[in-house]
């Protein structure tokens, strides 16, 4: 019986592999002692793929390479289909329903002609009233997404204004995938969800097939095989039936709100439950129609575990009873890396190891800024924070030092004439950088209101792509956490990032006299490819002058 060969995991850190060289071609025989089929390039080294180490080739009477599904030099994720082996002349096409790569047309040997999948006639899909839906690119840096929850099931209708298909976790946030923003669903009458190609909780690359929509009865199987193909094995979701679902385990309290067995919960509640290691199905929902919300997860108390039976009493020890015996049990928790953390790791590692950074630290006297803030808050419609004053001062300073407000683009440097300030916001899953656009043109009150709104959206996972794209300079403030001084990693392609510490009361000296004063330390991280030391220092001098004489921010 034919057998699928997948990309093997040849190291503990390997996530994808490249076929460096095929050592066999379609039709070549395979036998015990001669099972080398390819050279695989992993994240560690180039290694040989020997089928003798993975299976017993003697189980086949006349074992052959029936199909090769990956071109030399191409990379695919671990467990993707790369080949099929079986007995000479055996049919294998039924195994390719979930193939992750198109067939490679390789000529068969004269003595053992074998038809490859690429020899099949092309399928005309132009008249099929259906459409393949791929994983959407919901941010400028998104490379893959996780299907958190399906909001529709196979057979459900999709209408304009009611086209929410799923909740998708990107590298920035968990967002709703609304088909109305991508296609015109009214061109199908009626528009129906025909096929689901990915299970909840699974991660796939951008543009990989996740569903098919169209008119009932449309031949979507022909569309999948003859049109776009998923790069991960497709999983057809079963249509809900009247057959009761298997009973939950006795020790679990399962709360089900939908007829198809899906737990209704907000994206924030699901993310919070995942972080806390709580089974969301055990949480009773108090939201609309029993929907689990954040408060339900916060207040959830798991059922008390049954106490362990006490060990039999030990015989009296020879040592005196007063000698203490210290015991303990080693334990730990592991959590899968989410898409946001993956992107933070990838982008900041790229920045740290590619940009020649240098750091400039300056101390700023905040006495006048503190007094001015008190006066401004007496008339401001919103409360102005020191961070708002920092953002405004940075924006004004950037207009005077445009080289700091630049991008490194490899073969060119872009000087931005607009000032979009990114403000780093810590969230449960990592770090987001919402953007205050044209900050140099806005008043302190406007900046304060916008910063509060964006910060709230970031913490509640309500940011949209327009809220975090396009920043030309970033401010990272840890002063509210009691941090005096730190350095930040540049958010490329930006040229600089400003790390802001807390305001600290200290003792100053003037004309031989001691006095109490308040200072704040800031550190500017610069990419030396675009910003020189003198340029960065001049920017900090202007920034310092603006905060030490804050009335200049109002001009």
């Amino acid at each position: 019986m034919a057998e699928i060969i997948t990309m093997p995991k040849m190291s503990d850190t390997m996530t994808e592999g490249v076929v460096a060289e095929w050592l066999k071609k379609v039709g070549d025989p395979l036998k015990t002692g001669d099972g080398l089929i390819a050279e695989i390039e992993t994240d560690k080294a180039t290694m040989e793929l020997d089928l003798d180490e993975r299976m017993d080739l003697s189980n086949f009477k006349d074992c052959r390479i029936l199909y090769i599904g990956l071109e030399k030099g191409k990379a695919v994720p671990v467990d993707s289909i790369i080949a099929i082996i079986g007995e000479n002349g055996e049919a294998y096409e039924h195994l390719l329903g979930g193939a992750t790569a198109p067939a490679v047309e390789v000529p068969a040997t004269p003595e053992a002609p074998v038809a490859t999948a690429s020899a099949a006639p092309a399928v005309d899909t132009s008249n099929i009233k259906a459409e393949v839906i791929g994983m959407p690119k919901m941010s400028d840096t998104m490379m893959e997404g996780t299907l958190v929850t399906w909001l529709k099931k196979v057979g459900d209708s999709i209408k304009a204004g009611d086209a929410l298909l799923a909740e998708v976790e990107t590298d920035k946030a968990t967002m709703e995938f609304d088909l109305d923003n991508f296609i015109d669903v009214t061109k199908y009458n009626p528009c129906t969800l025909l096929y689901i190609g990915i299970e909840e909780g699974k991660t796939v690359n951008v543009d990989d097939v996740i569903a098919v929509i169209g008119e009932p009865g449309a031949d979507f199987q022909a569309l999948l095989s003859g049109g776009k193909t998923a790069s991960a094995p497709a999983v057809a979701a079963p249509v809900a039936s009247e057959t009761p679902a298997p009973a939950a385990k006795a020790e679990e309290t399962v709360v089900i709100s939908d007829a198809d067995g899906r737990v209704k919960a907000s994206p924030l509640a699901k993310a919070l439950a995942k972080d806390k290691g709580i089974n969301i199905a055990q949480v009773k929902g108090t939201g609309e129609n029993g929907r689990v919300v954040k408060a339900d997860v916060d207040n959830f108390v798991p059922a008390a575990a049954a106490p362990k039976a006490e060990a039999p009493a030990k015989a009296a020890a020879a040592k005196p009873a007063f000698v203490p015996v210290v015991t303990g049990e080693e334990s730990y928790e592991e959590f899968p890396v989410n898409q946001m953390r993956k992107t933070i790791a990838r982008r900041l590692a790229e920045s740290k190891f590619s940009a020649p950074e240098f750091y400039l630290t300056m101390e700023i006297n905040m006495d006048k800024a503190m007094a001015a803030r008190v006066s401004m808050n007496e008339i401001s419609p919103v409360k102005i924070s020191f961070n708002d004053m920092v953002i405004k001062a940075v924006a004004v300073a950037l207009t005077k030092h445009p080289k700091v407000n630049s991008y490194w683009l490899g073969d060119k440097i872009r000087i931005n004439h607009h000032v979009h300030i990114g403000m780093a916001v810590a969230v449960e899953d990592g770090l987001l950088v919402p953007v205050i656009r044209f900050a140099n043109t806005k008043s302190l009150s406007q900046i304060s209101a916008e910063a509060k709104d964006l910060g709230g959206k970031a913490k509640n996972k309500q940011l949209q792509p327009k809220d975090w794209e396009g920043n030309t300079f970033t401010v990272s403030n840890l002063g509210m956490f009691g941090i005096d001084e730190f350095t930040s990693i540049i958010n490329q392609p930006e040229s600089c990032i400003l790390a802001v510490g807390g305001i600290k009361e200290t003792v100053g000296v003037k004309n031989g006299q001691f006095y109490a004063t308040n200072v704040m330390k800031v550190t500017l991280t610069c990419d030396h490819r675009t910003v020189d030391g003198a340029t960065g220092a001049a920017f900090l001098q202007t920034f310092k002058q603006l905060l030490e004489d804050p009335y200049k921010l109002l001009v």
Side-chain angles (χ1 to χ4, degrees):
M1 183 175 180
E3 190 164 342
I4 287 175
I5 306 299
T6 60
M7 176 61 71
K9 186 176 178 68
M10 297 175 125
S11 80
D12 55 346
T13 57
M14 178 179 173
T15 59
E16 64 179 13
V18 176
V19 173
E21 190 70 48
W22 282 105
L23 305 178
K24 301 284 187 183
K25 60 182 181 294
V26 171
D28 280 359
L30 297 170
K31 52 189 176 183
T32 302
D34 184 26
L36 288 176
I37 66 168
E39 291 178 352
I40 305 295
E41 180 185 342
T42 74
D43 58 335
K44 303 288 188 183
T46 299
M47 308 167 69
E48 292 178 332
L49 174 55
D50 191 345
L51 295 184
D52 278 327
E53 299 174 357
R54 301 174 183 273
M55 63 183 65
D56 187 0
L57 297 175
S58 64
N59 289 334
F60 301 93
K61 291 181 181 179
D62 184 8
C63 188
R64 305 268 178 164
I65 295 279
L66 302 180
Y67 166 85
I68 289 179
L70 181 65
E71 296 177 3
K72 183 177 76 170
K74 296 293 185 181
V76 294
V78 168
D79 294 332
S80 298
I81 296 175
I82 62 172
I84 296 177
I85 68 168
E87 296 184 359
N88 188 20
E90 184 179 357
Y92 62 86
E93 288 77 6
H94 63 286
L95 298 176
L96 294 173
T100 60
V104 179
E105 187 174 359
V106 183
T109 55
E111 64 274 15
V114 180
T116 63
S118 58
V123 179
D124 182 8
T125 61
S126 59
N127 295 322
I128 297 177
K129 295 184 177 181
E131 187 169 344
V132 170
I133 304 299
M135 174 61 71
K137 186 176 178 69
M138 303 176 91
S139 81
D140 55 341
T141 58
M142 178 178 172
M143 300 178 65
E144 60 183 11
T146 300
L147 202 298
V148 178
T149 304
W150 283 107
L151 303 179
K152 303 281 187 184
K153 59 181 181 295
V154 172
D156 281 358
S157 61
I158 300 173
K159 304 174 184 176
D162 181 26
L164 289 178
L165 190 63
E167 292 172 352
V168 175
E169 180 190 347
T170 73
D171 57 334
K172 302 289 189 181
T174 299
M175 306 169 65
E176 291 178 328
F177 178 20
D178 191 342
L179 284 178
D180 277 331
N181 297 330
F182 293 86
I183 62 174
D184 180 11
V185 298
T186 61
K187 61 185 176 181
Y188 302 109
N189 186 26
C191 186
T192 305
L193 180 57
L194 303 177
Y195 168 84
I196 288 177
I198 175 177
E199 295 176 351
E200 291 182 351
K202 296 295 184 181
T203 300
V204 295
N205 295 329
V206 168
D207 293 333
D208 283 357
V209 175
I210 63 171
V212 178
I213 66 165
E215 298 184 2
D219 186 8
F220 66 83
Q221 292 291 354
L223 191 65
L224 287 173
S225 60
K228 295 172 69 176
T229 305
S231 24
V235 180
V239 180
S241 65
E242 297 181 359
T243 304
K249 294 182 180 179
E251 65 271 17
E252 294 181 353
T253 303
V254 181
V255 180
I256 301 297
S257 298
D258 282 359
D260 62 353
R262 179 170 62 84
V263 178
K264 293 167 64 177
S266 70
L268 180 57
K270 290 183 178 180
L272 185 60
K274 181 179 178 182
D275 289 344
K276 293 186 174 183
I278 296 174
N279 182 353
I280 193 71
Q282 294 180 333
V283 182
K284 182 175 179 61
T286 61
E288 185 179 356
N289 297 321
R291 184 177 177 89
V292 178
V293 296
K294 178 179 181 295
D296 299 326
V297 178
D298 288 335
N299 299 328
F300 175 71
V301 179
K308 295 181 180 179
E310 293 186 1
K314 295 183 179 179
K319 295 182 179 181
F322 63 84
V323 177
V325 179
V326 180
T327 61
E329 182 179 351
E330 294 182 355
S331 64
Y332 60 87
E333 286 184 275
E334 292 183 347
F335 298 98
V337 179
N338 60 32
Q339 298 306 305
M340 183 187 299
R341 181 57 61 187
K342 286 181 183 177
T343 301
I344 290 172
R346 176 177 55 82
R347 287 178 58 82
L348 294 188
E350 289 173 355
S351 177
K352 185 65 177 178
F353 299 121
S354 65
E357 297 177 347
F358 67 92
Y359 311 96
L360 301 171
T361 300
M362 181 171 280
E363 193 172 83
I364 299 173
N365 187 294
M366 295 294 288
D367 290 343
K368 291 184 179 179
M370 294 173 69
R373 176 173 174 263
V374 173
S375 298
M376 287 187 288
N377 279 330
E378 292 177 354
I379 59 173
S380 175
V382 293
K383 186 177 180 180
I384 296 171
S385 69
F386 289 112
N387 194 59
D388 301 328
M389 298 177 73
V390 166
I391 290 173
K392 177 66 175 180
V394 165
V396 174
L398 288 175
T399 62
K400 300 179 183 298
H401 305 277
K403 288 184 179 180
V404 178
N405 193 41
S406 63
Y407 289 160
W408 171 261
L409 299 177
D411 59 345
K412 56 189 173 184
I413 295 174
R414 176 182 297 172
I415 304 294
N416 295 298
H417 299 302
H418 57 281
V419 177
H420 293 348
I421 304 297
M423 57 175 196
V425 177
V427 295
E428 292 178 359
D429 293 332
L431 188 71
L432 292 175
V433 185
V435 180
I436 298 179
R437 301 180 184 279
F438 306 106
N440 58 310
T441 67
K442 295 178 178 177
S443 68
L444 279 166
S445 296
Q446 289 174 314
I447 289 175
S448 178
E450 192 169 339
K452 287 179 174 60
D453 179 60
L454 290 171
K457 286 182 177 180
K459 293 184 182 297
N460 294 323
K461 298 187 175 182
Q462 296 175 339
L463 290 176
Q464 297 298 312
K466 63 182 178 61
D467 296 324
W468 65 62
E469 295 174 352
N471 39 305
T472 61
F473 186 99
T474 299
V475 173
S476 179
N477 190 341
L478 292 179
M480 66 286 294
F481 297 106
I483 302 300
D484 293 335
E485 180 182 356
F486 69 105
T487 59
S488 291
I489 300 174
I490 296 170
N491 186 17
Q492 291 189 343
E494 295 173 25
S495 294
C496 297
I497 183 171
L498 185 69
V500 182
I503 299 174
K504 184 177 180 180
E505 187 175 16
T506 187
V507 176
V509 181
K510 186 175 182 180
N511 299 326
Q513 300 295 318
F514 295 100
Y515 65 97
T517 187
N518 296 275
V519 298
M520 178 180 74
K521 288 185 178 180
V522 296
T523 299
L524 183 69
T525 304
C526 303
D527 186 338
H528 217 324
R529 296 173 297 186
T530 51
V531 177
D532 296 327
T535 304
F539 166 81
L540 281 182
Q541 285 179 336
T542 301
F543 175 73
K544 175 182 173 76
Q545 291 168 5
L546 290 167
L547 284 180
E548 291 188 344
D549 292 309
Y551 68 87
K552 295 179 180 178
L553 295 175
L554 308 177
V555 178

